[in-house]
Amino acid sequence: MTGGRLKRLQKYIGNETFLLTYGDAVTDLNINEVINYHRSRGKMVTVTGVRPPARFGELTINDNNEVLEFKEKPNIQAGWINGGFFVIEPEFLNYINDDSSILEREPLEQVAKINQLVAFLHQGFWHCIDTKRDKDNLEEIISSGNKVW
């Protein structure tokens, strides 16, 4: 589990603030800005929040079912998700029990409950690569010649 793997690194991390990423996303995130933000907020954990591109087209519809706006795969505007880039203080590792711990469950939920989790909201490019479809989409973006990071 994700928490257990991190807990095994505790002896190497020592008392230093550290960075964590899942390694399954490409972004133009400025890591130095996230670190500075983390330090300025004084919280135990900073997670990067992102708005992922929608998988499907989005329709804005009025009461008469008339489409007022049509957007093909826009960035989601309603909510933020875990972008997979963290700045973490070493005491956070004490919230991870053992190899059965899922980082995104008890440990992060607990620090959120005690007001020690803050989000750095990234508005720039972010693309996860969880599936072949994600990989193909990213390769299409790259082959189009658009510099995204």
Side-chain angles (χ1 to χ4, degrees):
M1 294 292 142
T2 48
R5 291 191 303 256
L6 181 57
K7 181 75 168 181
R8 283 186 242 150
L9 297 174
Q10 190 167 16
K11 65 183 175 185
Y12 302 106
I13 293 168
N15 293 322
E16 295 186 49
T17 301
F18 63 96
L19 307 178
L20 172 71
T21 183
Y22 301 130
D24 63 354
V26 177
T27 183
D28 64 355
L29 179 68
N30 183 321
I31 296 297
N32 288 323
E33 285 182 15
V34 182
I35 293 168
N36 290 337
Y37 178 82
H38 174 78
R39 289 180 177 147
S40 75
R41 295 302 303 266
K43 300 293 184 178
M44 192 182 313
V45 179
T46 298
V47 60
T48 298
V50 298
R51 287 189 166 138
R55 185 172 171 191
F56 304 103
E58 178 181 69
L59 303 175
T60 303
I61 301 171
N62 68 14
D63 291 339
N64 293 322
N65 291 343
E66 297 166 332
V67 176
L68 304 175
E69 189 173 27
F70 181 96
K71 291 183 183 177
E72 185 59 18
K73 300 178 184 173
N75 279 350
I76 295 172
Q77 297 301 311
W80 296 90
I81 66 164
N82 171 5
F85 293 87
F86 299 85
V87 183
I88 303 175
E89 296 302 322
E91 60 265 23
F92 171 72
L93 297 172
N94 297 326
Y95 289 82
I96 301 172
N97 294 324
D98 54 33
D99 277 352
S100 66
S101 297
I102 300 170
L103 182 71
E104 301 79 11
R105 295 271 167 86
E106 296 85 13
L108 285 172
E109 290 173 359
Q110 287 177 15
V111 295
K113 284 181 185 174
I114 63 169
N115 196 29
Q116 285 298 308
L117 179 62
V118 66
F120 177 88
L121 303 180
H122 179 58
Q123 304 267 0
F125 180 80
W126 180 89
H127 193 290
C128 72
I129 307 169
D130 290 331
T131 66
K132 182 177 181 329
R133 181 181 184 280
D134 295 333
K135 178 184 172 284
D136 292 344
N137 287 342
L138 183 60
E139 286 177 348
E140 185 178 316
I141 291 168
I142 293 167
S143 67
S144 73
N146 292 330
K147 183 178 178 184
V148 291
W149 61 85

